[in-house]
Amino acid sequence: MTYCVGIMTHEGLVLGSDSRTNSGIDMVNACRKMHTFVKEGSRVLVLLTSGSLSLSQSVVTLLRREFEQEAGLAAAPTMYDAARTIGTQIRNLAALDRESLERDHFHFNINVLLGGQIQGGPPALYLIYPQGNPLMATPDSPFIQIGESKYGRPILDRGVRYHETSLEEAAKYALISFDSTMRSNATVGPPIDLLTYVADEFAIKRYRRFEEGAPDLKQIRRRWEQSLRRAVRDLPPIKFSPSDPLPE
Amino acid sequence: MTYCVGIMTHEGLVLGSDSRTNSGIDMVNACRKMHTFVKEGSRVLVLLTSGSLSLSQSVVTLLRREFEQEAGLAAAPTMYDAARTIGTQIRNLAALDRESLERDHFHFNINVLLGGQIQGGPPALYLIYPQGNPLMATPDSPFIQIGESKYGRPILDRGVRYHETSLEEAAKYALISFDSTMRSNATVGPPIDLLTYVADEFAIKRYRRFEEGAPDLKQIRRRWEQSLRRAVRDLPPIKFSPSDPLPE
């Protein structure tokens, strides 16, 4: 399983991915799901992938080949075009692999989160589906998750607001969202790749790979759980109602 | 969709269920999923159901008929036997309905949470599967969820401890778990039926039906979100690492 999340706020972007990959429960390995395509000063594109590792490796390989020839993600004039470039490569890959996979009852399963900024436009965050079509994050829906998304969603729903949440806070929400997911699902796991991108920087200046057992990650978990317990204790007591008829 | 949860602590039990039921997104109705079978002074049994409403209604009807004849749940000598009684009725129902459902590609889908106490034994919490077999909550795994369980799980994972959590705290955790689920999934919804059962009471003394927009439920949500935001702000800042090589 995989968990990746992108958050867009008025200050910029937060992007994070786990590194657990498995084919069935017996074979658990680590693998990066974050990929960066950067031309300092003019464009920063970060891809997070979920689904079949074979398919996401192929898509990144095809995109990297184009990028190194100054085409594809190196040439896309806007973030929308960059998302379409990824969609096109997903469709190219579908033409290569989909029929063979489906013959043996595998799904053609790949989702890509794209976050970044291309000079001339604002930062943007897209999800590109296995069919190749893109979905954009908006101020009303300022985060997108892929993979095992449910455990880590409530904290984002409660906390992340496009116009109000600072980038530093958004990064903390992302880490807590990862921690919640890893606690409830053993097939999502460290290392966690996390970066924040400040609008108009056109370079990646704040990146961190949190290894398993990183002391500050453990400290954040400990303090977070202490805060939650205190918050529950401080809630007003629940009022029960002797007049409500018991359900038959 | 449905969300039901049972929590077992050293002090007793918390049981809660939502009331949303739907066949597809166009037809959303309210329906109780909590059912009580009580003989004051000697046994309290609370059932929470998920899955097909038709099936859960049938199982409860069959169990109620037995109960009123002083058999089945009225006569089971232990909570394990009560769980087996429910499993037997699920299997009886499978014999009635399963083939007809599967012919039209419906699953035989029903899960029952059973919480309560029968004189002579301790309080217990069971999940009875669609196949009729029971699973028991233990001090190591002191809560069981059925239905749309993922959104509401992280707060329980972080907070609920069999030996430490008071029943009043456990009820708050349950309500927050409901609130998290309803916020992230529109097909889980109020009214919320919630009760707490103190060991050896052999009566239901604390029950409440939280209607949509109940003022104290809204207050709990508001205070909870304020506490979460404050807790995130108070976390130490994330240390990024200029030396970590950027992922290609």
Side-chain angles (χ1 to χ4, degrees), chain B residues 23-163:
Chain B
S23 313
I25 54 166
D26 289 334
M27 199 181 115
V28 177
N29 287 306
C31 181
R32 270 176 206 267
K33 298 162 191 174
M34 177 182 281
H35 306 275
T36 59
F37 296 76
V38 178
K39 291 199 172 288
E40 282 212 11
S42 66
R43 65 181 58 212
V44 166
L45 302 167
V46 181
L47 274 64
L48 312 174
T49 59
S50 76
S52 155
L53 183 58
S54 157
L55 296 177
S56 54
Q57 284 178 347
S58 279
V59 162
V60 170
T61 301
L62 296 171
L63 288 166
R64 184 76 61 195
R65 189 189 289 172
E66 278 187 323
F67 187 79
E68 286 168 1
Q69 295 164 353
E70 303 297 329
L73 293 180
T78 69
M79 286 296 291
Y80 177 76
D81 294 296
R84 282 289 178 191
T85 298
I86 295 168
T88 300
Q89 288 298 11
I90 290 175
R91 288 172 184 168
N92 291 343
L93 188 64
L96 273 177
D97 287 342
R98 185 165 178 153
E99 192 181 332
S100 300
L101 289 170
E102 291 183 346
R103 192 169 51 211
D104 285 338
H105 310 292
F106 292 102
H107 283 290
F108 182 80
N109 180 22
I110 175 172
N111 285 278
V112 179
L113 258 180
L114 165 68
Q117 185 177 17
I118 293 173
Q119 206 163 43
L125 178 64
Y126 281 90
L127 166 62
I128 300 100
Y129 290 104
Q131 293 74 29
N133 53 319
L135 175 83
M136 188 176 63
T138 67
D140 285 336
S141 298
F143 63 87
I144 304 181
Q145 307 167 286
I146 55 177
E148 176 60 277
S149 61
K150 290 187 178 184
Y151 299 116
R153 178 159 180 160
I155 185 65
L156 303 176
D157 274 334
R158 300 218 192 242
V160 176
R161 302 288 176 270
Y162 178 82
H163 294 289

Side-chain angles (χ1 to χ4, degrees), chain A residues 32 34-36 64 148 150-151 153-155 157-159 161 168-169 171-173 175-176 179-180 183-184 194-196 204 206-210 216 219-221 223-225 227-229 231-241 244-248, chain B residues 32 34-36 64 148 150-151 153-155 157-159 161 168-169 171-173 175-176 179-180 183-184 194-196 204 206-210 216 219-221 223-225 227-229 231-241 244-248:
Chain A
R32 269 177 207 267
M34 178 182 281
H35 307 274
T36 60
R64 183 77 62 196
E148 175 62 276
K150 291 187 179 184
Y151 299 117
R153 177 156 183 163
I155 185 64
D157 274 332
R158 299 215 193 245
R161 301 288 175 271
E168 182 171 345
E169 281 170 349
K172 292 178 188 174
Y173 280 111
L175 261 195
I176 295 165
D179 193 56
S180 300
R183 225 177 175 302
S184 296
L194 186 76
L195 68 79
T196 63
I204 296 174
R206 277 162 301 278
Y207 165 74
R208 169 81 182 274
R209 189 169 177 82
F210 289 92
D216 50 349
Q219 191 201 12
I220 282 177
R221 170 182 287 199
R223 286 189 48 174
W224 179 246
E225 298 198 347
S227 296
L228 288 192
R229 294 221 182 89
V232 167
R233 271 199 310 274
D234 292 349
L235 286 177
I238 291 173
K239 294 187 202 92
F240 291 98
S241 173
D244 281 2
L246 267 184
E248 276 257 304
Chain B
R32 270 176 206 267
M34 177 182 281
H35 306 275
T36 59
R64 184 76 61 195
E148 176 60 277
K150 290 187 178 184
Y151 299 116
R153 178 159 180 160
I155 185 65
D157 274 334
R158 300 218 192 242
R161 302 288 176 270
E168 183 172 343
E169 282 171 348
K172 293 180 188 175
Y173 280 111
L175 261 195
I176 294 166
D179 193 58
S180 301
R183 226 178 173 303
S184 295
L194 187 76
L195 67 80
T196 62
I204 297 175
R206 278 162 301 278
Y207 165 73
R208 168 81 182 273
R209 189 169 178 84
F210 289 91
D216 50 349
Q219 191 202 12
I220 283 177
R221 170 182 285 197
R223 286 187 50 172
W224 180 247
E225 297 199 347
S227 296
L228 289 192
R229 295 221 181 89
V232 166
R233 271 200 309 274
D234 292 349
L235 286 176
I238 292 173
K239 294 188 202 91
F240 291 98
S241 173
D244 282 1
L246 266 184
E248 277 257 306

